[in-house]
Amino acid sequence: MSRRSGILEFAILGLLRESPMHGYELRKRLNTSLGVFRAFSYGTLYPCLKTLVANGWLIEEPGSTPEDALAASLTGRRAKIVYRLTADGKERFEELLSQTGPDAYEDETFAARFAFFGQTERDVRMRVLEGRRSRLEERLEKMRASFARTRERLDDYTLELQRHGMESVEREVRWLNELIESERAGRDRRSAPGSSAQQDTSGETGGLPRHGGSTRPDPSDDTTK
């Protein structure tokens, strides 16, 4: 399975964990909520859905809303198919959600993983955030070294493009630093003696950084690749 098809599987299971959906609804949510899927098609979605059904992670059901029934009667077509997560599908999603290897924080996957952080255990969130930060810091070091070697041979526009790329990575590193510190602060508050939250072992957020206006970079921004 390719990395892109793997993250599509993850995102579909995660969205259907919230509620059953038609294929059209799924595609809309993938496009609007998860930026990494802005340019994918039904030709990509439906084969993945069929595979998930074949694996026993989803089931197909006829649409049950009055609108579905009316549309089916007017057009003579069967009602829209609704996809529902099975118990095995939930278990599969939780398995994927717990993974913290390099695939969790690469450019192609991090945005989708982050979108489901509200359902992710705190320790897993920390490992993914720290892995992403480490990867970007390595990239930034290489970019700076390359810039220092080549800046005398490049024209002004190419230099500006390289600066823009470095600044984009630097912004994301700063954002990750804020998230990591907030996660740590939240964990420390919950583990303090006498804290009523000491019993909390759920995946709720540890206290996201608050800004008057969000300056969070888009993790799927092409300039960070």
Side-chain angles (χ1 to χ4, degrees), residues 91-110:
E91 184 177 333
R92 171 62 175 167
F93 177 67
E94 290 173 352
E95 174 191 338
L96 294 172
L97 203 63
S98 68
Q99 294 178 359
T100 59
D103 280 352
Y105 46 78
E106 296 290 355
D107 291 343
E108 299 89 344
T109 54
F110 176 70

Side-chain angles (χ1 to χ4, degrees), residues 50-68:
K50 294 299 182 184
T51 298
L52 297 179
V53 170
N55 288 340
W57 298 332
L58 304 181
I59 57 173
E60 297 178 327
E61 300 176 336
S64 57
T65 66
E67 292 81 2
D68 290 336

Side-chain angles (χ1 to χ4, degrees), residues 86-136:
T86 65
D88 286 343
K90 181 179 180 181
E91 184 177 333
R92 171 62 175 167
F93 177 67
E94 290 173 352
E95 174 191 338
L96 294 172
L97 203 63
S98 68
Q99 294 178 359
T100 59
D103 280 352
Y105 46 78
E106 296 290 355
D107 291 343
E108 299 89 344
T109 54
F110 176 70
R113 283 301 304 267
F114 189 83
F116 292 99
F117 262 23
Q119 303 178 46
T120 305
E121 294 291 336
R122 189 174 297 109
D123 289 346
V124 174
R125 291 198 303 262
M126 283 290 291
R127 288 195 290 272
V128 173
L129 290 171
E130 289 172 343
R132 177 67 176 172
R133 179 176 65 179
S134 177
R135 182 59 49 86
L136 290 182

Side-chain angles (χ1 to χ4, degrees), residues 21 27 61-62 77 112 199 215:
M21 296 184 200
R27 184 172 183 263
E61 300 176 336
R77 300 174 181 173
Q199 300 175 4
T215 58

Side-chain angles (χ1 to χ4, degrees), residues 29-184:
R29 287 290 305 279
L30 288 165
N31 279 332
T32 58
S33 303
L34 305 175
V36 70
F37 298 110
R38 286 184 186 122
F40 92 112
S41 66
Y42 283 111
T44 303
L45 174 61
Y46 282 103
C48 186
L49 287 170
K50 294 299 182 184
T51 298
L52 297 179
V53 170
N55 288 340
W57 298 332
L58 304 181
I59 57 173
E60 297 178 327
E61 300 176 336
S64 57
T65 66
E67 292 81 2
D68 290 336
L70 177 61
S73 64
L74 291 175
T75 62
R77 300 174 181 173
R78 67 174 184 170
K80 290 181 179 178
I81 296 297
V82 171
Y83 295 91
R84 183 184 300 274
L85 196 66
T86 65
D88 286 343
K90 181 179 180 181
E91 184 177 333
R92 171 62 175 167
F93 177 67
E94 290 173 352
E95 174 191 338
L96 294 172
L97 203 63
S98 68
Q99 294 178 359
T100 59
D103 280 352
Y105 46 78
E106 296 290 355
D107 291 343
E108 299 89 344
T109 54
F110 176 70
R113 283 301 304 267
F114 189 83
F116 292 99
F117 262 23
Q119 303 178 46
T120 305
E121 294 291 336
R122 189 174 297 109
D123 289 346
V124 174
R125 291 198 303 262
M126 283 290 291
R127 288 195 290 272
V128 173
L129 290 171
E130 289 172 343
R132 177 67 176 172
R133 179 176 65 179
S134 177
R135 182 59 49 86
L136 290 182
E137 286 174 340
E138 292 173 4
R139 182 182 304 170
L140 191 56
E141 183 178 348
K142 292 178 181 177
M143 292 172 75
R144 286 169 173 162
S146 174
F147 185 76
R149 286 195 308 269
T150 61
R151 62 182 304 166
E152 299 300 329
R153 303 193 301 270
L154 300 178
D155 63 72
D156 290 344
Y157 295 101
T158 305
L159 284 173
E160 283 304 311
L161 186 61
Q162 289 198 2
R163 287 195 186 97
H164 174 68
M166 287 191 295
E167 289 170 359
S168 296
V169 178
E170 288 168 348
R171 280 197 303 273
E172 187 170 347
V173 170
R174 289 195 297 269
W175 172 63
L176 290 166
N177 285 335
E178 291 181 357
L179 289 172
I180 289 167
E181 288 307 311
S182 294
E183 291 285 347
R184 286 175 177 161

